[in-house]
């Protein structure tokens, strides 16, 4: 094992523990803060893989903007005692853990027993330029569809949040 | 190249225009928006028919315009037009946000059209999300009804889960091959354990979208809770879109005989046909009945993909098209009944045969077509699907399909029985608006016509699947 592998395992462990915290912590504000840590861990993995632009965007958009919004929403909407605001379901908790554990085990087994065709990727010099060319070139339809998707989501969120008009 | 993309571009612009009109004319001008939407969709439909190219590959294989994509685009557009026409009066339930409703319909259609043409997993995924996010909103559109809100939330959670599963499968395929372009995946795949996981995850992801058992649990609640015209569109068009993408991914990327995904799909299809039909037997709500019937229909359609030969694939396209007319016809009648009584219970169809002979006739013909009774169109479709399965050596699957079709006749005829023998406190039925009458006539005539004279559709579907058969 090389030092760079160690970095990866550290980042992965950090991300997974933070993600477990999101699910398991009883206080929803703590869960939201753990989510920030998860996003930062994922961003770290992007940096580790040399995708610096995506890593930066991950920190800016997810760890920055989205999580702040989420915590705002939690604070505004929370009316009960905050320490018990993210209750875990007693019923079926162990069954769910069993099945998801089994699923994860099978998936990990299939991934470990595969011989991956790993090649050392060339150092990417201009990743922003490459992404720009792809978004505006071959992937332009997906790019435009994503734009419409966001428009639909924003308008939909407004309509659903506004609720039935009282007359 | 741009002229080939015109249907998509016009649909997108129309959607944005409709949303803009909703802002400029708040709370009024709904009739204008409705007329504009239908006119625009009809124009796009003609355009899609006119673009009769054999095969044009754009952006290095990422977007494909061929007879197959064209067929499904025409199907989605027809479905959307029929839904809008048949529920012109029903939309009053969406007071204050009627124009936006048409905008979301257009965005959903756009997502479906891109799904049918996507030759790349990433584009496919984004198109799928565009469609499902539009549907999340549409399902929760009757904001003063608890069931609709609940359905919206359930669909959001389960839809996000299924998208995650699909995306996980896609990421494994990308890790194995280094590409997301479907035509290149096929040549770069090697049989690895991770590939099996990937195929199963992708199968499960698509299974959610087309409601195969055991990935169907969202269907009944959401079909029941959603506004009925959204349910109709969801049952017909979103299912067809999922199937269109699924067939293209599986046939062009995961070669046959490579590893036996067909057997897994065959088991799912058998389970879907059996449970879908058996549970439909005990339903008393027309939306739930049609929900379980649509689960069963997804099972029949999956049989065609299991067979993966000329008859099977042709059967999928043929059956999807006749399913549009039969199912939308049945839903259009249910919309009229809900306009009248405000309920979806089957007993409210009582004496419809006397109160409105036309509606009862349309309902009867559509249900019999769904059951696959000759000489209606559904029979021809099922004939192709099951012949394909027999030809591919899946005789047992064809047998289950036939048996379950026979069982399904019972619950379809039960509705017919209520309409002609049942009792109703009411004597009359309110007049049907002209646009709904038009939609009902289209569904009725095409269901009968394609059953008696299926040749044009057979020719067209045969042409559309030619490129998959080498």
């Amino acid at each position: 094992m090389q030092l760079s592998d160690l970095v990866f395992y550290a980042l992965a462990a950090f991300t997974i523990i933070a993600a477990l915290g999101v699910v398991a912590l009883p206080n929803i504000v703590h869960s939201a803060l753990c989510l920030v840590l998860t996003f930062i861990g994922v961003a770290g993995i992007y940096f580790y893989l040399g995708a610096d632009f995506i890593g930066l965007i991950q920190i800016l958009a997810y760890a920055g903007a989205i999580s702040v919004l989420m915590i705002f929403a939690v604070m505004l909407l929370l009316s009960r005692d905050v320490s018990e605001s993210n209750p875990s379901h007693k019923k079926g908790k162990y069954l769910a853990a069993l099945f998801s554990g089994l699923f994860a085990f099978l998936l990990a087994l299939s991934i470990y027993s595969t011989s991956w065709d790993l090649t050392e990727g060339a150092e990417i010099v201009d990743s922003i330029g490459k992404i720009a060319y792809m978004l505006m070139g071959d992937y332009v339809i997906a790019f435009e569809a994503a734009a419409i998707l966001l428009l639909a989501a924003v308008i939909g969120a407004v309509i659903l949040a506004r609720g039935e008009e009282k007359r | 190249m741009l002229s080939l993309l015109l249907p998509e571009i016009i649909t997108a612009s129309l959607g944005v225009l409709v949303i803009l009109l909703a802002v400029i004319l708040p709370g009024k001008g709904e009739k204008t928006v409705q007329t504009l939407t239908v006119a625009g969709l009809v124009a796009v439909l003609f355009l899609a028919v006119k673009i009769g190219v054999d095969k044009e590959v754009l952006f290095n294989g990422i977007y494909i315009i061929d007879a197959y994509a064209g067929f499904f685009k025409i199907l989605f557009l027809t479905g959307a037009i029929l839904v809008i026409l048949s529920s012109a009066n029903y939309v009053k339930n969406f007071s204050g946000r009627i124009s936006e409703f048409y905008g979301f319909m257009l965005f959903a259609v756009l997502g479906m059209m891109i799904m049918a043409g996507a030759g790349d997993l990433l584009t496919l995924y984004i198109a799928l999300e565009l469609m499902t996010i539009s549907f999340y909103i549409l399902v929760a559109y009757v904001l003063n009804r608890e069931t609709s809100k609940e359905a919206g939330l359930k669909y959001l959670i389960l839809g996000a889960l299924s998208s995650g599963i699909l995306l996980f499968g896609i990421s494994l395929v990308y890790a194995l091959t280094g590409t997301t372009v479907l035509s290149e995946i096929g040549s770069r795949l090697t049989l690895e354990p991770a590939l099996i996981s990937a195929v199963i995850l992708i199968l499960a992801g698509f299974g959610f979208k087309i409601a195969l058992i055991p990935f169907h649990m969202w269907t009944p609640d959401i079909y029941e809770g959603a506004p009925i015209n959204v349910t109709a569109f969801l049952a017909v068009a979103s299912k067809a879109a999922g199937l269109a993408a699924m067939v293209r991914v599986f046939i062009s990327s995961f070669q046959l005989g490579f590893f036996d995904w067909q057997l897994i799909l065959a088991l799912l299809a058998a389970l879907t046909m059996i449970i879908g039909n058996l549970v439909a037997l005990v339903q008393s709500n027309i939306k739930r009945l049609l929900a379980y019937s649509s689960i069963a229909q997804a099972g029949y359609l999956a049989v065609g993909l299991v067979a993966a030969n000329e008859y099977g694939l042709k059967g999928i396209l043929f059956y999807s098209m006749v399913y549009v007319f039969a199912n939308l016809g049945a839903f259009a009648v249910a919309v009229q009944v809900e306009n009248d009584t405000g309920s979806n219970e089957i007993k409210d169809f009582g004496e419809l045969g006397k109160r409105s002979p036309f509606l009862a006739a349309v309902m009867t013909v559509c249900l019999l077509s769904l059951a696959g009774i000759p000489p209606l169109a559904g029979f021809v479709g099922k004939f192709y699907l099951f012949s394909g399965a027999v030809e591919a050596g899946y005789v047992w699957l064809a047998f289950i399909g036939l048996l379950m079709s026979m069982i399904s006749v019972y619950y379809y005829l039960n509705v017919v029985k209520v309409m002609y023998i049942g009792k109703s406190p009411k004597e009359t039925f309110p007049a049907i608006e002209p646009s709904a009458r038009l939609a009902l006539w289209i569904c009725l005539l095409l269901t009968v016509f394609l059953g008696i004279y299926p040749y044009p559709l057979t020719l067209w579907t045969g042409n559309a699947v030619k490129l998959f058969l080498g």
Side-chain angles (χ1 to χ4, degrees), chain B residues 355-385:
Chain B
R355 293 189 291 146
S356 176
F358 173 59
L359 283 184
V362 175
M363 191 69 163
T364 308
V365 167
C366 290
L367 290 179
L368 289 180
S369 177
L370 286 174
I373 306 270
L376 298 167
F379 169 75
V380 187
K382 276 188 186 165
F383 177 77
Y384 282 136
L385 288 171

Side-chain angles (χ1 to χ4, degrees), chain A residues 7-167:
Chain A
V7 174
F8 172 77
Y9 284 118
L11 280 171
F14 175 79
T15 311
I16 290 174
I17 291 168
L20 279 176
V22 177
V23 186
L25 288 177
N27 185 331
I28 199 157
V29 179
H30 295 171
S31 290
L33 292 173
C34 273
L35 195 61
V36 180
L37 293 183
T38 317
F39 289 147
I40 291 175
V42 173
I45 294 176
Y46 288 146
F47 283 123
Y48 169 78
L49 293 171
D52 43 1
F53 178 67
I54 309 258
L56 271 177
I57 293 295
Q58 170 84 11
I59 288 183
L60 264 181
Y62 282 84
I66 289 180
S67 15
V68 169
L69 271 181
M70 210 144 26
I71 293 169
F72 254 122
V74 166
M75 295 292 193
L76 285 174
L77 296 176
L78 205 63
S79 55
R80 297 181 290 166
D81 180 18
V82 69
S83 60
E84 280 300 321
S85 47
N86 190 16
S88 56
H89 291 274
K90 295 275 179 302
K91 220 170 63 183
K93 190 160 87 174
Y94 297 103
L95 204 63
L98 177 74
F99 274 101
S100 35
L102 202 65
F103 176 69
F105 172 74
L106 283 175
L107 212 58
L109 193 71
S110 78
I111 289 172
Y112 270 109
S113 45
T114 299
S115 62
W116 297 93
D117 181 21
L118 296 175
T119 43
E120 193 79 23
E123 187 84 8
I124 301 166
V125 202
D126 176 25
S127 68
I128 302 178
K130 273 220 164 66
I131 291 171
Y133 272 114
M134 279 172 91
L135 283 184
M136 293 298 171
D138 282 352
Y139 282 95
V140 69
I141 290 181
F143 181 68
E144 297 296 340
I148 303 252
L149 186 156
L150 291 176
L151 177 70
V154 168
I155 298 168
V158 170
I159 283 180
L160 295 185
R162 196 181 58 182
E164 189 66 17
E165 269 167 47
K166 297 194 174 55
R167 276 170 299 172

